[in-house]
Amino acid sequence: MKGTGRPRRLVLIDPCLTGLGSHPYHYAAAVRAAARRRGHDVLLVTHRDFTAAPADWHVLPACTHTAYSKYTLCGGLDRLDDRGRGPWLPDMPWAMAHARQRREERITAFARDVLPALAGLAAGDAVLVATASELEPIGLTRAIAAARPPQGVGWHVQFHFPIFRGFAADFPRQEPRLAAARPALQEAASAAAPHAITYHATTADLAAEYERLVPAPVGVLPYPVQAPPSVERPTPGPLRVVCLGDARPEKHSECLADVVREIAADPAVAGRVRFAVQTNIGYPTTSRKREHMAVTRSLAALARAAAAGAPLELLAGPLDAAAYARELAAADVVLLPYDQGRYRSRCSGVVLESLAAGAVPIMTGGGWMARQIAAAVETHAAAVMARSRVLAARRLERPRIGRQPLTLDLGSLAPLAGGAAAVAVEVTWEDTADTRLALPPVRLAVTGGPAGPATVLAAGAAAGVSTAIMPLTAGPGLRLEITPACGADAAVPKAVTVRELSTGTPVPASAVGLVIDAPADAPAAIREVVRHADHYRATAAAHAATVGRTAAADEIVRRLLP
């Protein structure tokens, strides 16, 4: 620090950092390393269960609670349906009082736990609370008031969890849930004056959600990715399809055994695919929740399949940073069939790290995850259309797409029976007052004959046009079916344009990766990658450098300690 005898200090507080292998651990490792490269001191304040830190880390394992619980706004989303509607019966007064007490206990504990880390701060230092809920900023301001640090310290909070269900049209009905938190955050901000907190989120969608809650603008702080080891990917042999991270219901881990079983039984891809699945669970081993038990059963089925000789390797986790990086480097495909009800606005470290490693992601669409490859998909679609012959085109103005599929006959492809063809679907989206909030997306599928995997189209960061290529084998009886995706009741885009194409030779459906609607679409997506493996490998490798530049820990440290 200028004018003193010590370097500037970064205090990184993450109550969700409980052990090795989690993304809070990878986040802390990346940010710590970047700060040390710039000559800064780093103190990590973690959950008190974190006792496995490397010897050269300066760690204070102090936090009593993690940031996630049923008493936070995010935890309360489990009681809402996909459209943000709550239970029929309101909470009883005693239950509401109990919840208020538990929230206050967590705020008080956080303030007490982090207070020692604020001692000795100087102007020019920075404090970042990562993986935060709405409770941690209140606790932080109480700790600031108690510590009375000098002015000039940078105070930062990064939100990680969503606080709304559904899409922008569903948010107003959920506003009453924020009524208690808003004044508490405003009061906390006043109590901390003259110190002020700078708020961040991991995605633009999430920032827009929290701007409805906190008394200040919310920016976007990049989520860092590990620098993948420089490993040459072997091209011969089967594609290695990996599933990394804790097994949890929100990642649809309960469906993995079915995906492996279907691919293993398909003679068309026999010997061309091998799976590797991380098997540590992200919930208490004693949990009897139905969704947790479904994941446990799926993992047991995977263990039986591996023992019986299925093309499957089980990865005992959690993985430390080096083991995790090795698995990413060895992966050809990363399977990410996450629940978009929980991940629509949320960042996934596995997604970014898979892209940075040059692996091909197969991921559910409708939100932030799919937008990470949207530009590459659009470029690919434009290239396919430019070199194809258009047999027919139609434009539907403001079609209402509901529970019953919007079905279009692809009759112009019948005369090409057996030939390579495709359907290009272009969706024009309505402009919105806040274009960071995604509109309800649509699922596209071709039925009635051999075709590529179903996919999802959604509005981008700036509402405009999105396009998908649906490869198929031409013939009679083909139909395009369009339905709402991600649990939406309806989708009403401004327009849908459908072009029936003669492509001459088979074309890939996408580039870099594939966007699917649900885990049931994953086997078809894996077959698509097998068919066009060289194309997906090449486009994923070209895309990797872009991700590495935009999601670098050095940029985070530069923003926190300019």
Side-chain angles (χ1 to χ4, degrees):
M1 170 183 167
K2 294 179 180 179
T4 73
R6 71 163 177 84
R8 298 172 72 187
R9 179 179 300 164
L10 172 63
V11 179
L12 174 56
I13 304 171
D14 195 334
C16 291
L17 178 45
T18 59
L20 299 176
S22 64
H23 269 90
Y25 172 76
H26 297 311
Y27 184 103
V31 172
R32 177 193 173 278
R36 295 294 294 155
R37 284 193 297 271
R38 291 171 61 95
H40 304 314
D41 283 341
V42 181
L43 169 62
L44 300 177
V45 184
T46 70
H47 191 273
R48 62 187 180 186
D49 288 347
F50 184 63
T51 58
D56 60 337
W57 286 24
H58 185 193
V59 177
L60 177 64
C63 296
T64 306
H65 304 286
T66 70
Y68 183 84
S69 83
K70 65 181 180 180
Y71 302 112
T72 64
L73 289 172
C74 177
L77 294 180
D78 290 339
R79 303 180 66 237
L80 308 181
D81 67 11
D82 289 341
R83 303 277 65 80
R85 294 178 286 253
W88 286 101
L89 294 176
D91 289 333
M92 299 298 291
W94 65 266
M96 296 171 66
H98 174 78
R100 283 195 299 271
Q101 179 181 348
R102 290 291 179 264
R103 286 193 290 271
E104 177 57 32
E105 289 173 356
R106 285 175 170 268
I107 293 169
T108 301
F110 185 79
R112 178 196 65 227
D113 295 342
V114 305
L115 181 59
L118 308 190
L121 289 175
D125 294 339
V127 176
L128 169 64
V129 181
T131 323
S133 74
E134 76 280 5
L135 303 184
E136 281 69 41
I138 302 174
L140 177 63
T141 58
R142 292 185 186 179
I144 293 171
R148 302 180 67 181
Q151 295 188 44
V153 175
W155 304 98
H156 302 266
V157 169
Q158 179 167 250
F159 297 114
H160 187 74
F161 303 110
I163 56 175
F164 289 99
R165 279 278 197 221
F167 304 95
D170 303 311
F171 291 0
R173 73 167 61 94
Q174 301 172 60
E175 287 285 339
R177 299 179 60 248
L178 280 57
R182 275 201 193 102
L185 284 162
Q186 183 64 61
E187 181 180 344
S190 300
H195 301 279
I197 293 176
T198 300
Y199 292 102
H200 312 272
T202 52
T203 71
D205 297 56
L206 203 60
E209 291 188 19
Y210 277 94
E211 283 188 336
R212 294 170 173 255
L213 174 66
V214 300
V218 181
V220 179
L221 196 63
Y223 198 94
V225 298
Q226 293 193 67
S230 181
V231 176
E232 192 70 26
R233 294 182 183 278
T235 51
L239 293 177
R240 185 174 174 86
V241 180
V242 305
C243 303
L244 295 175
D246 298 346
R248 299 200 303 267
E250 66 191 58
K251 296 183 175 182
H252 280 314
S253 301
E254 75 279 3
C255 301
L256 295 180
D258 292 336
V259 174
V260 172
R261 186 182 305 112
E262 181 173 336
I263 290 296
D266 185 350
V269 292
R272 303 175 70 182
V273 173
R274 183 168 182 83
F275 290 89
V277 178
Q278 188 173 327
T279 58
N280 57 291
I281 59 176
Y283 51 86
T285 56
T286 56
S287 175
R288 305 299 294 173
K289 286 186 177 181
R290 183 180 302 175
E291 58 181 6
H292 292 160
M293 294 175 69
V295 173
T296 301
R297 287 193 299 271
S298 180
L299 294 175
L302 288 172
R304 292 192 297 270
L312 168 65
E313 177 185 352
L314 302 181
L315 307 174
L319 304 177
D320 63 24
Y324 179 79
R326 285 194 299 270
E327 289 300 329
L328 278 177
D332 294 294
V333 178
V334 180
L335 188 57
L336 302 148
Y338 292 3
D339 177 3
Q340 286 298 305
R342 304 186 188 191
Y343 271 91
R344 183 195 61 78
S345 61
R346 180 175 165 185
C347 173
S348 164
V350 182
V351 170
L352 289 176
E353 286 158 350
S354 301
L355 290 168
V360 178
I362 295 175
M363 54 192 171
T364 42
W368 174 88
M369 291 172 60
R371 281 204 295 277
Q372 304 316 297
I373 65 170
V377 173
E378 288 293 325
T379 299
H380 170 73
V384 170
M385 288 190 287
R387 63 176 181 260
S388 300
R389 181 162 57 95
V390 179
L391 303 177
R394 73 195 87 172
R395 180 180 173 92
L396 307 176
E397 299 289 345
R398 302 191 183 280
R400 181 170 181 82
I401 302 166
R403 293 292 184 181
Q404 291 298 317
L406 173 62
T407 302
L408 303 174
D409 290 330
L410 304 176
S412 297
L413 299 177
L416 297 179
V423 178
V425 182
E426 182 182 276
V427 177
T428 304
W429 303 95
E430 294 282 4
D431 293 330
T432 58
D434 191 337
T435 56
R436 291 177 296 178
L437 300 178
L439 301 169
V442 293
R443 179 182 190 268
L444 311 174
V446 173
T447 63
T455 191
V456 171
L457 284 181
V465 177
S466 52
T467 312
I469 297 295
M470 311 288 292
L472 50 84
T473 300
L478 293 171
R479 294 174 297 278
L480 173 66
E481 292 188 350
I482 308 177
T483 53
C486 302
D489 295 323
V492 189
K494 183 181 293 185
V496 174
T497 302
V498 178
R499 296 178 178 89
E500 299 169 50
L501 308 176
S502 172
T503 59
T505 58
V507 296
S510 185
V512 179
L514 284 152
V515 176
I516 60 176
D517 180 42
D521 301 318
I526 292 171
R527 296 184 188 101
E528 161 71 12
V529 177
V530 170
R531 281 192 296 268
H532 301 282
D534 290 344
H535 164 80
Y536 284 103
R537 278 175 163 151
T539 54
H543 188 69
T546 301
V547 178
R549 286 194 301 269
T550 58
D554 296 278
E555 173 62 16
I556 294 174
V557 174
R558 188 191 66 77
R559 297 261 299 273
L560 298 176
L561 292 162

